[in-house]
């Protein structure tokens, strides 16, 4: 299977690397120092599931150098989606599917607006991984898992084929009945503690054990569930309890990508996480005061990272 990985960081570098390591044709789209390092010395992955290296990965910053592929795994940051959707045209053949593996709940619809709904699959990546340094991906936690699905809930042949390739590469793959529900499940988890971790600079182990921060996460979850239900997402009655059960057994040193980006002074996905809860809450008439506080508290740092403020 011929696959393009658009965005070769912690998610794209890991999952694309696993598929390439078993002999499938994988082209990575990267940029900057990470691109240059991959060209010079390959792509190394240090993982709790076993280290591996791609000595000579196919990597470029120009999709036109790749041409049409069977599937595009979209693993960029949320604010890059509109630009990336327009730029990936050279990757699209008659049967190419585009798989959204982004955080947040809005990316599948954003991709569909540009590319057509018929091309887009929804996805959820479950993994704690990041770029340790250019050319090196570090995977520190969670069984690497991809949840995939057609947006209409059907079990297409292209979905089954892609799932088979990923499974062959040693990736745990699940095909839920509703991928939109699963995207919102992850959104509930990430927005609960992502922004709070950025404010407190504490890992998940601390956030979940301290009474004050645990209460804030609980409030975030309740707001997100209310917004989801207003948007037509059929969360089960015990969704918050289930999310806590998952959160309470995570590796205690875990941090979110939003937290790491803000701590490093980089642009983050704040607008697609806490900001999206506020925005969607306003659309559906749902109050989201906890998410608004987190979003407003982090916005000066976000604007500084984007060159909009100086301090």
């Amino acid at each position: 299977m011929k696959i393009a990985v658009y965005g070769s960081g912690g998610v794209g570098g890991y999952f694309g690397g696993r598929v390439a390591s078993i002999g499938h044709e994988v082209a990575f789209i990267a940029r900057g120092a990470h691109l240059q390092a991959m060209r010079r010395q390959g792509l190394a992955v240090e993982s709790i599931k076993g280290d591996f290296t791609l000595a000579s990965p196919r990597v470029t910053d120009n999709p036109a150098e790749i041409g049409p592929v069977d599937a595009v795994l979209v693993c960029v940051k949320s604010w890059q989606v509109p630009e990336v959707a327009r730029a990936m045209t050279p990757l699209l053949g008659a049967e190419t599917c585009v798989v959204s593996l982004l955080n947040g709940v809005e990316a599948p619809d954003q991709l569909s607006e540009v590319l057509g709904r018929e091309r887009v699959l929804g996805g959820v990546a479950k993994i704690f991984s990041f770029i340790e340094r250019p050319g090196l991906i570090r995977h520190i936690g969670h069984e690497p898992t991809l949840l995939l699905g057609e947006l209409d809930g059907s079990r297409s042949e292209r979905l089954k084929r892609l799932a088979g390739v990923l499974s062959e590469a040693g990736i745990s793959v699940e095909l839920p009945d509703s991928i939109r529900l699963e995207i919102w499940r992850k959104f509930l988890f990430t927005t609960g503690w992502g922004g709070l971790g950025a404010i407190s600079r504490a890992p998940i182990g601390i956030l979940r054990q301290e009474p004050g921060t645990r209460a804030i996460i609980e409030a975030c979850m309740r707001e997100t569930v209310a917004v989801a239900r207003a948007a037509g997402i059929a969360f089960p009655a015990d969704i918050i309890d289930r999310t806590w059960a998952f959160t309470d057994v995570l590796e205690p040193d875990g941090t979110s990508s939003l937290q790491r980006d803000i701590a490093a002074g980089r642009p983050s996905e704040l607008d697609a996480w806490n900001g999206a809860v506020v925005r969607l809450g306003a659309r559906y008439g749902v109050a989201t005061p906890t998410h608004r506080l987190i979003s407003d508290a982090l916005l000066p740092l976000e604007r500084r990272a984007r060159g909009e403020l100086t301090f």
Side-chain angles (χ1 to χ4, degrees), residues 252-290:
D253 293 336
T255 57
S256 71
S257 58
L258 188 153
Q259 179 175 345
R260 294 191 297 272
D261 285 340
I262 287 181
R266 298 187 294 260
S268 78
E269 293 182 307
L270 176 65
D271 183 65
W273 290 27
N274 305 95
V277 179
V278 175
R279 184 168 56 253
L280 294 173
R283 178 187 302 175
Y284 296 112
V286 177
T288 56
T290 314

Side-chain angles (χ1 to χ4, degrees), residues 27-230:
F28 296 89
I29 299 169
R31 61 181 183 176
H34 193 46
L35 167 66
Q36 299 306 320
M38 289 175 69
R39 283 173 168 168
R40 289 194 312 269
Q41 63 204 40
L43 176 65
V45 177
E46 293 181 356
S47 170
I48 59 175
K49 300 290 290 184
D51 301 345
F52 65 94
T53 300
L54 303 179
S56 301
R58 185 180 183 188
V59 58
T60 181
D61 59 358
N62 182 6
E65 295 180 1
I66 299 171
V69 297
D70 298 306
V72 183
L73 306 184
V74 183
C75 309
V76 297
K77 295 293 189 179
S78 58
W79 70 85
Q80 299 169 324
V81 171
E83 174 190 353
V84 164
R86 294 188 295 270
M88 70 171 65
T89 302
L91 304 174
L92 304 180
E95 303 298 325
T96 305
C97 62
V98 177
V99 186
S100 171
L101 293 177
L102 290 88
N103 291 311
V105 296
E106 299 165 304
D109 291 332
Q110 291 172 331
L111 289 168
S112 296
E113 287 173 6
V114 178
L115 305 174
R117 182 183 171 87
E118 70 281 357
R119 281 201 185 272
V120 179
L121 275 66
V124 173
K126 295 184 177 181
I127 188 172
F128 282 143
S129 57
F130 50 89
I131 299 176
E132 175 75 10
R133 62 175 182 272
L136 173 63
I137 303 297
R138 188 176 176 213
H139 165 219
I140 63 171
H142 204 290
E143 176 69 25
T145 302
L146 289 176
L147 281 63
L148 305 174
E150 295 282 357
L151 297 180
D152 64 2
S154 64
R155 292 293 180 97
S156 63
E157 288 304 314
R158 67 183 183 180
L159 175 63
K160 295 174 185 176
R161 183 186 178 204
L162 179 59
V165 168
L166 295 167
S167 297
E168 182 187 357
I171 297 165
S172 179
V173 179
E174 300 176 16
L175 304 179
D177 292 334
S178 172
I179 191 61
R180 286 197 182 273
L181 176 60
E182 299 305 323
I183 290 170
W184 273 89
R185 282 185 194 271
K186 183 178 181 182
F187 188 60
L188 172 62
F189 163 70
T190 55
T191 58
W193 66 284
L196 180 60
I199 291 174
S200 67
R201 303 186 182 182
I204 187 60
I206 299 298
L207 296 177
R208 70 192 181 203
Q209 79 179 28
E210 291 297 308
T213 49
R214 191 176 182 93
I216 294 171
I217 294 173
E218 176 84 12
C220 284
M221 287 186 188
R222 293 190 180 281
E223 291 176 10
T224 302
V225 168
V227 171
R229 288 180 172 148

